[in-house]
Amino acid sequence: MPSSPVESPASIADRLAVVQARIRVAAEACGRDPASVTLTVVSKTQNREAIDAALAAGASVFGENRVQEAQTRWTEERARPVDVELRLIGALQSNKAADAVALFDVIETLDRDSLARTLAAAIQKAGRAPRLLVQVNTGEEPQKAGIIPRDLDAFLNSVRDDYGLIVEGLMAIPPVDEAAGLHFALLAKLAERHGLKVLSMGMSGDFETAIRFGATHVRVGSAIFGERKSPEAPSRV
Ligand SMILES: *Cc1c(COP(=O)(O)O)cnc(C)c1O
């Protein structure tokens, strides 16, 4: 017998459908095309049955926090379906950059100069280039990764001119104790100012607000899979 998941496959399919419906409603409520919002299913810490249930229910875009966990899950435990897009949404250590370039379609957490340099070298070597988002620390929280807004201009220029990397958008995780809408509005404004099309913002608790402020990608985990024991809890496979 497989270990019993927190949520049954049927309930994961139901929850996924509810989230998709809420995305549709939120987009239509502000006059946006629902197809302009992509649901990234955050599969970090989930076991194999839970992810298989999401796949069976039609999920095709997944967000992972850790390179190694994602490698195990998407190449060792199962062949990765060709139509699955993998997005790295957690901090990337430079010594994992080559692995991340090999595995992910999108890296959302470009957050420092040294990582830009390392990624550029890894991309050159691999002959494969994941799309890139810059993580912005909109709340200027000292413990949080990301470029602070006033440094974004210089960082984007350097990433392009010094390392030849193309950035397609911005990502942010607002402070937990502040109104997320202010941070979403700031991120949207920064993206617009720099002509960037992709905006990854909004999680289970606030994705509808994020859609109102222009999110093109919302990252949803617990609303689909149920509460995680802890963000760092290992996969229970
Ligand atoms: C875990 C995580 C999410 C999903 O959070 P939920 O509240 O479970 O939807 C989204 N983005 C990032 C960067 C995360 O680490």
Side-chain angles (χ1 to χ4, degrees):
M1 278 294 289
S3 63
S4 57
V6 178
E7 298 294 328
S8 71
S11 76
I12 288 172
D14 287 347
R15 283 162 170 266
L16 181 67
V18 168
V19 169
Q20 286 164 333
R22 285 171 59 188
I23 289 172
R24 209 159 45 238
V25 169
E28 281 165 357
C30 58
R32 295 185 57 193
D33 178 359
S36 68
V37 183
T38 298
L39 169 61
T40 299
V41 174
V42 176
S43 44
K44 67 182 182 198
T45 79
Q46 300 303 327
N47 66 19
R48 183 172 180 161
E49 298 142 278
I51 293 166
D52 283 343
L55 282 167
S60 62
V61 180
F62 288 84
E64 292 281 354
N65 270 53
R66 288 162 169 263
V67 175
Q68 210 155 357
E69 187 184 340
Q71 274 176 326
T72 306
R73 179 167 296 151
W74 294 105
T75 60
E76 291 164 27
E77 282 176 7
R78 75 160 75 57
R80 172 178 164 189
V82 283
D83 58 345
V84 162
E85 177 175 286
L86 288 184
R87 307 178 69 95
L88 179 64
I89 61 170
L92 177 55
Q93 294 169 289
S94 291
N95 65 0
K96 297 271 168 54
D99 288 342
V101 164
L103 180 63
F104 288 97
D105 301 293
V106 182
I107 294 173
E108 299 199 5
T109 50
L110 174 54
D111 62 355
R112 59 193 188 278
D113 184 83
S114 61
L115 182 60
R117 179 165 5 99
T118 310
L119 279 174
I123 286 168
Q124 186 93 42
K125 188 153 178 229
R128 173 181 204 278
R131 283 139 39 219
L132 299 174
L133 309 190
V134 168
Q135 183 173 355
V136 181
N137 186 352
T138 57
E140 307 195 15
E141 296 173 280
Q143 82 287 3
K144 195 169 271 177
I147 302 295
I148 61 172
R150 70 172 164 280
D151 294 341
L152 183 62
D153 202 30
F155 184 70
L156 287 170
N157 286 338
S158 163
V159 160
R160 186 191 57 222
D161 299 340
D162 301 339
Y163 305 117
L165 296 176
I166 295 164
V167 169
E168 69 169 19
L170 303 178
M171 174 271 208
I173 308 168
V176 286
D177 54 353
E178 291 180 27
L182 295 174
H183 295 272
F184 297 152
L186 172 58
L187 197 71
K189 201 170 86 183
L190 292 168
E192 189 180 8
R193 184 183 301 160
H194 293 285
L196 299 170
K197 297 272 183 289
V198 176
L199 268 180
S200 171
M201 56 189 195
M203 319 200 297
S204 289
D206 54 20
F207 66 85
E208 284 138 322
T209 307
I211 289 168
R212 187 145 40 85
F213 284 100
T216 63
H217 291 71
V218 293
R219 309 179 305 266
V220 179
S222 48
I224 295 165
F225 294 113
E227 292 301 323
R228 288 176 299 276
K229 282 209 187 78
S230 89
E232 300 296 327
S235 160
R236 301 187 309 129
V237 170

